[in-house]
Structure formats: C-alpha cells, structure tokens
Amino acid sequence: MSLQTLAEWLRCPNCIQPLSPGGPLVLVCPAGHSFDVNKRGFLSALGGSRGLIGDSAAMLDARDAFLNAGWFEPLRNALAVLVSAEAPSRVLDIGCGTGYYLRGVLASCPDARALGVDLSPAAVARTARDDDRVDGLVADVWSPLPVRDGAADVILTVFAPRNPVEFHRVLRPRGLLAVVIPQADHLRELREAGLTLDVQADKAEQLRASLAPWFELESREALSRTLNLSTTDVHALIGMGPSAHHRDAHQRDTEPAEDADDVPWPVTTAFEVLGFRRRTN
C-alpha cells in the first residue's frame, strides 16, 4: 500500500473529484477538501454513518482461526478460478473481513491490485497488512462509495451486503461481480440446534432479481459438503459470522462446552458462487 495507490482508487465524498496525495497521510481533491489517512494506511469514510457496527476483533479472530484451518478452502479456490479468468488488474473486495478470500484471488492474479472495503476498521487493517498490493477503505456499502467511476475490473462480495447501483458505477463496463451466498442447507445442523440464524429461502433467485436492472447472471456454481468439526471449530464458526451479533444468554448456554468431549460435529456447508456481468445500459 502507498498513499498514491490508495488515491488512485478514490474520489472526494463531497465533490466527487479525484483524490491525490497532499502530504504525509493526507489525501486532497482539487476543490481543497482534505482527508486524513490512518497510520495503518487506510482511509475511513464513515463519518456519522447511522451508528452501524462492524465485525469486532473477537469475530475476526474466530474467522481467522476457522478459515485458516482450511475448512472453506474449496470455496476460496472456486472464487479464485472465477475471478482469474477475467485477468483483472483491479479487484474491489466489498466486506473484505480478514482478507481470506481476497488473498486467494490475488494468488491467482499476480498482476492485480486490490482495495479492501469493510465497515470494520479492524477488518480493513487485517486485509491490508503485509501485502503492498492491497489498499484499504472503511465505508458503509449502503452509502455512496468514495470510489471512482469504473475503478474496478472485478467486485467480490462474499456473504456481504450489496449495493447494485454503486457496484454498477464503480465497475468498468462488462466487468464481473462475483457473489457468494449460502444455500438453504448451509449450517443446517447448527440452525436446527438454534445456534445460528436462518438462511433466507430462494436466496439466489431473489439476488438475481434484485441485480437484474444492472447485472445479468452469467455463471452459477454450487458447492456442498459435510464437515466433521471439533467443538473448538464449532465455536469459531458460530463466533465468526452474523449469528455472533445476535447471540443471547440462552444460545450461549446451548452451545457445546469448550471442554466437552471432542466428538465430531457433522455440519453441512452449502454455498453458491455466482458471476454477474455488468450491463452497459
């Protein structure tokens, strides 16, 4: 990351003119608006954004532990295959989390640069650290993004919110929007035990319909398998996702004890990897 490469992604939130370096850890626009860059090398564009809460450090720690154990590696590989076929030079990761999926994509796209975007400053810091090809932005995806028009060849959104109007704007003509969503069977055993949130029915069809004015569905791949998880893995899986925001005392009481006998938990994982092509109209 450098101030220059970060600036090349961004436009002024106030007047939408391009940003450029204006001094140590400062970006400016031609109209004189100035924005401080965090010492860790990323810009926050949240302002007073609706009191939204991003993923906590504890959630990110759980995600690191679970994903780095390789449980979702087939999903990361499938996403990397889809994106690398585009030979992108600029990848925008919306809801980047710990950067696990973005790192898999960049390993298959050696000439690409990336911008990791998340509501959580801790997530953006993890994604951007130790990789000079990755810049970071803290932003609310439901608000206008301070990203230049047509800045990205590919947008990734893995279990993350989607803003189709903004995605259409910041993606180049005929660029790729790569989306990962859970299928109805995802984490079925944990949901039946009351440990995770329900999955919306017909999620893929509703996604296609919501994106249709701006994107056309081009590819669709389903991935499903049953994992045999330890109690430690189950705790990490529950703690790393949206269910962690909604756990109450009763749910915590029904979770397997950390010191329980390590009898494997069979847990179904089921995803869809969808490729949408940006419409030019």
Side-chain angles (χ1 to χ4, degrees):
M1 177 269 170
S2 72
L3 208 59
Q4 179 60 43
T5 59
L6 176 61
E8 289 170 359
W9 282 101
L10 302 179
R11 71 180 194 179
C12 176
N14 299 321
C15 65
I16 72 171
Q17 296 187 77
L19 293 179
S20 60
L25 297 180
V26 175
L27 295 179
V28 298
C29 74
H33 300 118
S34 177
F35 305 90
D36 294 332
V37 176
N38 185 284
K39 290 180 180 179
R40 290 177 288 179
F42 58 83
L43 178 74
S44 177
L46 282 182
S49 185
R50 297 187 293 157
L52 296 173
I53 300 174
D55 292 346
S56 66
M59 292 175 67
L60 296 168
D61 287 343
R63 197 171 304 165
D64 265 334
F66 188 85
L67 295 177
N68 290 340
W71 294 114
F72 285 4
E73 187 172 354
L75 172 59
R76 181 164 78 160
N77 292 341
L79 190 62
V81 168
L82 174 64
V83 174
S84 63
E86 300 290 303
S89 60
R90 298 176 70 81
V91 177
L92 178 59
D93 187 359
I94 300 290
C96 58
T98 62
Y100 174 78
Y101 298 102
L102 181 59
R103 287 192 295 273
V105 164
L106 291 178
S108 298
C109 303
D111 297 325
R113 293 199 60 85
L115 179 67
V117 181
D118 204 287
L119 186 63
S120 165
V124 172
R126 293 193 193 206
T127 295
R129 70 186 179 191
D130 302 326
D131 193 333
D132 60 8
R133 293 195 290 159
V134 181
D135 297 293
L137 173 67
V138 179
D140 172 15
V141 71
W142 297 116
S143 300
L145 296 170
V147 176
R148 301 186 192 193
D149 293 356
D153 302 309
V154 172
I155 294 176
L156 311 179
T157 171
V158 182
F159 312 123
R162 295 165 294 276
N163 184 335
V165 174
E166 279 295 276
F167 288 3
H168 187 270
R169 180 184 65 79
V170 303
L171 195 59
R172 66 164 173 79
R174 303 300 294 169
L176 177 73
L177 171 61
V179 182
V180 177
I181 59 173
Q183 292 182 284
D185 251 8
H186 186 55
L187 308 186
R188 173 174 48 82
E189 296 83 358
L190 299 183
R191 285 190 284 114
E192 289 173 351
L195 299 177
T196 59
L197 299 176
D198 286 338
V199 175
Q200 181 181 351
D202 301 321
K203 195 173 182 70
E205 181 54 34
Q206 293 187 33
L207 172 64
R208 187 201 62 77
S210 70
L211 294 176
W214 303 275
F215 297 90
E216 57 183 316
L217 180 61
E218 186 175 83
S219 66
R220 188 170 178 178
E221 180 180 2
L223 301 171
S224 180
R225 64 176 182 151
T226 299
L227 309 179
N228 288 309
L229 302 180
S230 69
T231 54
T232 299
D233 294 326
V234 170
H235 275 274
L237 180 56
I238 296 169
M240 78 182 202
S243 297
H245 288 298
H246 303 277
R247 291 158 76 197
D248 56 25
H250 171 71
Q251 287 171 315
R252 285 190 290 270
D253 287 343
T254 59
E255 292 175 14
E258 291 277 12
D259 58 355
D261 291 338
D262 210 10
V263 177
W265 280 62
V267 176
T268 300
T269 60
F271 317 103
E272 285 199 80
V273 182
L274 303 106
F276 291 88
R277 189 64 60 186
R278 182 192 185 274
R279 297 186 188 274
T280 54
N281 57 335

